[in-house]
Amino acid sequence: MALLLCFVLLCGVADVTRGLSITSPDQSIEKAKGETAYLPCKFTLDTVDDGPLDIEWLLSPSDNQKVDQVIILYSGDKIYDNYYPDLKGRVHFTNSDVQSGDASINVTNLQLSDIGTYQCKVKKAPGVANKKILLTVLVKPSGTRCFVDGSEEIGNDFKLKCEPKEGSLPLRYEWQKLSDSQKMPTPWLAEMTSPVISVKNASSEYSGTYSCTVQNRVGSDQCMLRLDVVPPSNRAGTIAGAIIGTLLALVFIGAILFCCHRKRREEKYEKEVHHDIREDVPPPKSRTSTARSYIGSNHSSLGSMSPSNMEGYSKTQYNQVPSEDFERAPQSPTLAPAKFKYTYQTDGITVV
Ligand SMILES: *[C@@H]1O[C@H](CO)[C@@H](O)[C@H](O)[C@H]1NC(C)=O
Ligand SMILES: *[C@@H]1O[C@H](CO)[C@@H](O)[C@H](O)[C@H]1NC(C)=O
């Protein structure tokens, strides 16, 4: 037994001293899709190795259907790299002087199809050596979406979900609460590292902002979620409110249309009154309008703006402002801003 061990050791030592050898260790490399993989293959020569230098890189794709492929070759001082269409333009020797003992290559823009065992073979007769590197390409998690599956109401059951669009397994998940005390609700703790949190009997304290981080060996991604746990009635109330609001708006618009229509018909009978008052009449000077707007504001509601009570104003409208009106106006508590005054007055006159 001891003798055998001794023999193996001696062989090992003998191997190193026998000439050509590859010094880079065997290894496996893991990279993200799109990145560059550096596959090292450094070698040393011996004086006895006096043949021509030949370097060959082979790929055994992980897909067993495919046979070993030559991907790049150095022979007779020339580089040949147009063998394997899948790697076209993506394999290069990293050292421009391969003769110096560096046959390492870079594989750029890694694809999932690049997964496999790469073999570096160096020949300089009588020396030969080769070495294998296992390359794994992983996809970083990305396009992760956080969402609530179910309705976020007090007392309800629903799920919080965290779903990356892509990402190589194994994936690790971690939920965190970002708002308030940043403490995850206690019943959720068991599922903090799972892609789905099952919420039972929701309470309003669960409301807040949460994040989910998805990670694998080559990268991570994150999404956020805003949770609002509200009483069921609130939700119904909001919807009902929106509907009622819309209906009220429609009724209001209808009422305005109806009024305008009616007033227009009444205009026929009051042509003489309105003959000199049209929309194209220039706005009165600010002082005048100040006085007028005060009067107008007493009749701002549609109901009181009947032709009979507007008639009096219309007749005296722009001709002259009674001086008492002007004196009185500044004390008025109901004065509107200048812009509004003009608008109002124009409406008050032309709508009639
Ligand atoms: C090979 O790839 C590595 C990254 O993996 C990079 O640092 C290095 O510069 C690349 N070498 C060449 C010659 O492209
Ligand atoms: C749900 O939670 C409330 C307190 O938030 C509790 O009173 C009630 O018993 C719970 N219901 C169930 C079915 O667990």
Side-chain angles (χ1 to χ4, degrees):
M1 185 67 191
L3 209 126
L4 185 70
L5 195 74
C6 191
F7 179 70
V8 169
L9 275 175
L10 274 173
C11 279
V13 171
D15 205 359
V16 169
T17 55
R18 203 176 56 199
L20 200 161
S21 72
I22 294 171
T23 52
S24 306
D26 275 340
Q27 59 184 305
S28 57
I29 291 172
E30 219 165 50
K31 286 281 177 182
K33 188 179 171 220
E35 288 181 345
T36 296
Y38 170 68
L39 309 184
C41 182
K42 293 190 175 166
F43 60 91
T44 54
L45 295 171
D46 194 271
T47 45
V48 299
D49 302 325
D50 54 2
L53 178 65
D54 271 308
I55 294 163
E56 190 180 42
W57 275 91
L58 299 172
L59 166 61
S60 315
S62 63
D63 179 353
N64 287 334
Q65 311 295 315
K66 295 181 182 170
V67 292
D68 286 9
Q69 306 276 342
V70 176
I71 56 170
I72 193 167
L73 195 70
Y74 175 89
S75 181
D77 241 354
K78 280 197 185 131
I79 294 168
Y80 305 89
D81 63 0
N82 199 4
Y83 292 98
Y84 186 46
D86 286 10
L87 280 169
K88 191 170 160 63
R90 296 195 291 121
V91 189
H92 312 278
F93 283 109
T94 55
N95 195 321
S96 53
D97 184 15
V98 172
Q99 294 268 13
S100 69
D102 188 359
S104 308
I105 55 167
N106 266 6
V107 180
T108 60
N109 188 20
L110 287 171
Q111 302 299 311
L112 292 178
S113 57
D114 299 343
I115 296 172
T117 305
Y118 290 74
Q119 197 177 165
C120 171
K121 285 180 153 182
V122 182
K123 262 185 268 179
K124 192 163 168 56
V128 286
N130 63 68
K131 197 191 59 139
K132 289 181 176 176
I133 297 173
L134 184 66
L135 175 68
T136 306
V137 180
L138 299 174
V139 180
K140 291 181 189 176
S142 72
T144 308
R145 204 164 68 93
C146 289
F147 61 98
V148 180
D149 186 3
S151 103
E152 315 164 34
E153 289 173 357
I154 291 176
N156 254 11
D157 297 349
F158 53 81
K159 290 182 163 69
L160 306 187
K161 293 190 172 175
C162 178
E163 287 181 358
K165 196 158 159 263
E166 53 178 15
S168 300
L169 302 174
L171 289 168
R172 280 183 293 136
Y173 294 83
E174 189 178 358
W175 288 90
Q176 277 179 309
K177 188 169 188 180
L178 303 178
S179 54
D180 309 325
S181 64
Q182 311 199 321
K183 274 194 191 136
M184 287 288 279
T186 321
W188 302 5
L189 290 179
E191 290 180 311
M192 252 180 79
T193 55
S194 101
V196 179
I197 293 181
S198 298
V199 180
K200 297 262 185 287
N201 192 16
S203 93
S204 58
E205 289 134 48
Y206 294 174
S207 297
T209 308
Y210 296 86
S211 75
C212 168
T213 308
V214 196
Q215 230 179 331
N216 65 13
R217 288 198 294 270
V218 291
S220 74
D221 194 27
Q222 196 179 50
C223 58
M224 304 246 248
L225 177 122
R226 170 78 213 168
L227 182 65
D228 278 310
V229 181
V230 294
S233 56
N234 263 17
R235 194 147 295 221
T238 310
I239 294 167
I243 292 171
I244 290 168
T246 310
L247 286 177
L248 280 179
L250 286 174
V251 166
F252 184 69
I253 291 168
I256 289 176
L257 288 176
F258 175 74
C259 282
C260 291
H261 184 62
R262 211 184 64 173
K263 302 250 184 243
R264 211 155 274 154
R265 284 204 330 206
E266 282 167 357
E267 265 180 7
K268 278 188 228 152
Y269 307 104
E270 298 180 18
K271 257 181 193 155
E272 69 287 356
V273 175
H274 298 282
H275 184 67
D276 55 339
I277 305 157
R278 288 279 169 238
E279 267 182 278
D280 54 0
V281 169
K285 293 296 167 221
S286 63
R287 289 188 157 208
T288 310
S289 73
T290 301
R292 278 291 141 201
S293 71
Y294 173 61
I295 296 161
S297 68
N298 288 335
H299 301 272
S300 57
S301 82
L302 282 170
S304 65
M305 224 195 301
S306 70
S308 59
N309 63 18
M310 285 307 287
E311 202 174 349
Y313 300 127
S314 305
K315 276 176 177 163
T316 55
Q317 186 57 44
Y318 294 123
N319 304 338
Q320 80 264 36
V321 178
S323 56
E324 348 79 85
D325 270 1
F326 172 55
E327 311 288 57
R328 199 171 44 163
Q331 289 106 341
S332 160
T334 56
L335 272 182
K339 194 177 172 206
F340 176 70
K341 282 169 212 154
Y342 168 56
T343 309
Y344 176 76
Q345 198 158 20
T346 309
D347 289 350
I349 304 310
T350 55
V351 160
V352 174

